[in-house]
Amino acid sequence: MSTVPTTEERKKKQEKAKTEFDGILGEAKAPKGIGEGLSNGAGNIVGGMLGGVGVVVLAPTLGAAAGSKNGGIVGGFVGGAAGGLVGLIAAPVVMVAGLAGGLTQIGRGVAAIPKQITQPKKGNWWNENEGKWESTDLSEIPSQIASWPKDDADILGEARKEAEKGTGDDANNENEGGVKDTFYYDILEVSTDAEPSKIKKQYYKKARLYHPDKCGPDDKEAAEKFKDVAEAYQVLSDPELRKKYNMDGREGLSADKTETTDSATVDPELLFAFLFGSDRFNDYVGRLAAATSALVGDSEMLTAVQLRTLQKRRCTRLAVKLAERLQLWTSGEEEAAKAAWTAEAADLSQASFGSQLVHAIGDVRVKLIFFYIPHILVFMLLFVPP
C-alpha cells in the first residue's frame, strides 16, 4: 500500500526538481564565446520552428481524437477545429520564443568574445557545467578545500542517514519471515528484506573495515571476516542465489556459492578492487563514483548539481595532490623527485592488486600527456609572450 507523501517530503522533492531545472537552465544561458553562442542560438531557433510546426500538425489531430471519443463524428469535427485554432495561436508563440531564445544566445556569445580572448591568457579555464571561467591557480585552492568536509558530509549527509536505516543495530532478523538461514544477512548487518542498495552499501562499509590493506596481511581474524562479507555480498547481490539461500540456507548452495559451476569462489580482494578500487589510491584517483553510490545506498536524493559538485571537488583535490608531487621536479630536484616517486610506487604496489593499479594510472597519464601536448603548444604560441 503506497503512503501519501508528507508536506515536508513534497517540499523537498520540489526543491530538488527546482535545483536540477535551474542547473539545466544555467548551462543553456552561458555560452563560452561566439561559436557556442551561434550553435546554441541556431539550435533554439530551429527547435522553435520545429516545435511550432509540430503544434500546428498535432493540435487538430489530438483535438479530433478527443472529440470523436466523446461526441462521435460531430465531436471529432468540432474537436479538430478547436485543436486547429489552438495550434494556429500557439505555433507563433513557440516559434517566437525559440527565435528570441536563439537571438539571446547569439548576443551572449558575441558579448563573451572579450573574455574568451583574455581569460585563457590569465590561465583560467571554462567550466562547461557551470558556464563560467574559473582560475587554475592552485595556490588559491588549498584554503577552498579546507572549507569542504573531508567526507563531503554537507552533500552526502542526508543520503547517508537515509541509507543507514535498516542496517546495523536497526537490522532486526528475529522474525525472519520464512528465511531459513540469516547468516549472510547478519554478517552484513542488514534485515532479511533489505533492498539491493542497502546490501551493497553494507558490503562496501564492512569490506573497507576488514580489508587487508587496512588491517594488514597477518590479521587472520580480519582476513576471515573480509572473506565472509565478500561471500555474503556475492550471494545476496544475486537475485537467484538469494532466493535459493532464503529457502534452503547455505546448505542449498554449491561449494563455490554460484550454484552453477565448480570453479573457486571469487577472490574477495579482486571483488572489492573491481567494484570500488582501493582506499590507498585515493590521492591518485579519488573516491570512485561506484564507491560514492555504495556509500549512500544508491540514493536518489542526490541531485545532478550535487553530483557535479562532488566530481569537481574530487578533481580539485587530485590536482592539488599532483601539484605537490611535482613540486620537487619543478624546483629542479629531478633525482630527488624520481626517488620519491619510485618509493611511493613501490609502497602502493604492496596493496591488493597495487601493481596493476599503478601501471594502469601510469598508462592513463601518459596517454593524457600525449593528448594535451598539442593543446599546450598552441596555447603557448598564442598566449604566452616570447
Side-chain angles (χ1 to χ4, degrees):
M1 181 179 177
S2 60
T3 58
V4 179
T6 64
T7 302
E8 185 178 353
E9 289 173 338
R10 284 198 299 269
K11 186 177 179 181
K12 285 184 177 180
K13 287 183 178 181
Q14 290 170 355
E15 289 176 351
K16 176 183 176 181
K18 183 179 182 302
T19 301
E20 295 204 11
F21 186 64
D22 289 344
I24 294 171
L25 289 181
E27 292 174 358
K29 288 179 180 177
K32 179 181 180 181
I34 183 61
E36 193 170 312
L38 286 172
S39 175
N40 292 347
N44 284 351
I45 293 171
V46 172
M49 295 299 175
L50 292 176
V53 173
V55 169
V56 171
V57 173
L58 289 176
T61 305
L62 295 175
S68 62
K69 183 177 180 181
N70 296 317
I73 297 176
V74 175
F77 178 78
V78 173
L85 181 61
V86 170
L88 290 175
I89 296 172
V93 175
V94 174
M95 291 181 178
V96 169
L99 179 62
L103 292 176
T104 299
Q105 285 292 86
I106 293 172
R108 285 176 174 270
V110 172
I113 292 176
K115 285 188 176 181
Q116 189 177 18
I117 296 173
T118 59
Q119 290 298 314
K121 293 182 179 179
K122 298 177 181 178
N124 296 337
W125 67 284
W126 177 252
N127 185 329
E128 294 182 358
N129 289 326
E130 298 182 19
K132 63 181 182 180
W133 291 95
E134 294 194 353
S135 172
T136 56
D137 185 353
L138 293 182
S139 65
E140 302 173 358
I141 293 178
S143 59
Q144 182 183 11
I145 293 178
S147 67
W148 301 336
K150 191 173 181 180
D151 58 355
D152 296 316
D154 56 328
I155 296 177
L156 301 176
E158 290 298 320
R160 291 187 67 174
K161 286 180 183 177
E162 184 66 24
E164 288 291 342
K165 294 178 181 178
T167 64
D169 294 336
D170 294 333
N172 182 5
N173 288 327
E174 292 181 2
N175 299 317
E176 298 87 352
V179 176
K180 182 176 180 180
D181 183 356
T182 64
F183 177 75
Y184 289 143
Y185 293 102
D186 295 337
I187 286 175
L188 295 180
E189 294 185 4
V190 296
S191 58
T192 54
D193 61 350
E195 296 178 358
S197 59
K198 282 188 167 51
I199 290 172
K200 182 166 71 171
K201 174 192 172 297
Q202 285 299 101
Y203 166 63
Y204 177 64
K205 178 180 176 182
K206 294 291 183 182
R208 290 182 70 201
L209 183 64
Y210 301 123
H211 199 286
D213 288 350
K214 181 176 182 179
C215 301
D218 298 328
D219 191 330
K220 302 302 182 185
E221 182 179 355
E224 192 62 29
K225 289 181 178 179
F226 182 69
K227 175 178 172 294
D228 286 343
V229 296
E231 188 175 295
Y233 178 73
Q234 187 178 340
V235 171
L236 299 183
S237 63
D238 185 306
E240 291 300 319
L241 287 181
R242 183 177 180 181
K243 181 179 179 181
K244 181 72 173 175
Y245 168 71
N246 287 347
M247 290 190 300
D248 303 327
R250 281 172 289 170
E251 295 79 8
L253 301 173
S254 58
D256 63 351
K257 306 301 181 292
T258 66
E259 196 185 17
T260 58
T261 71
D262 294 326
S263 59
T265 306
V266 174
D267 183 333
E269 293 184 35
L270 175 60
L271 177 64
F272 185 86
F274 176 77
L275 292 174
F276 307 119
S278 171
D279 284 355
R280 290 181 67 174
F281 284 81
N282 276 354
D283 286 347
Y284 288 86
V285 296
R287 184 178 59 224
L288 302 181
T292 299
S293 178
L295 198 63
V296 297
D298 295 335
S299 173
E300 296 181 357
M301 295 178 67
L302 298 178
T303 66
V305 174
Q306 288 175 319
L307 291 172
R308 283 202 297 266
T309 301
L310 288 173
Q311 177 66 0
K312 181 179 177 181
R313 287 184 180 183
R314 173 183 174 231
C315 292
T316 303
R317 288 167 175 148
L318 293 175
V320 171
K321 289 290 184 182
L322 180 58
E324 290 174 357
R325 291 192 189 90
L326 293 173
Q327 194 168 12
L328 276 176
W329 180 276
T330 55
S331 62
E333 300 181 50
E334 297 179 5
E335 293 305 318
K338 289 180 181 179
W341 298 341
T342 301
E344 194 166 0
D347 178 62
L348 290 171
S349 296
Q350 302 304 310
S352 303
F353 299 95
S355 179
Q356 292 91 331
L357 289 172
V358 167
H359 280 89
I361 292 171
D363 289 342
V364 169
R365 289 188 174 174
V366 168
K367 288 181 173 64
L368 286 174
I369 289 170
F370 281 106
F371 175 80
Y372 280 110
I373 279 178
H375 298 74
I376 294 171
L377 291 176
V378 171
F379 175 84
M380 293 177 68
L381 290 171
L382 292 177
F383 300 118
V384 178

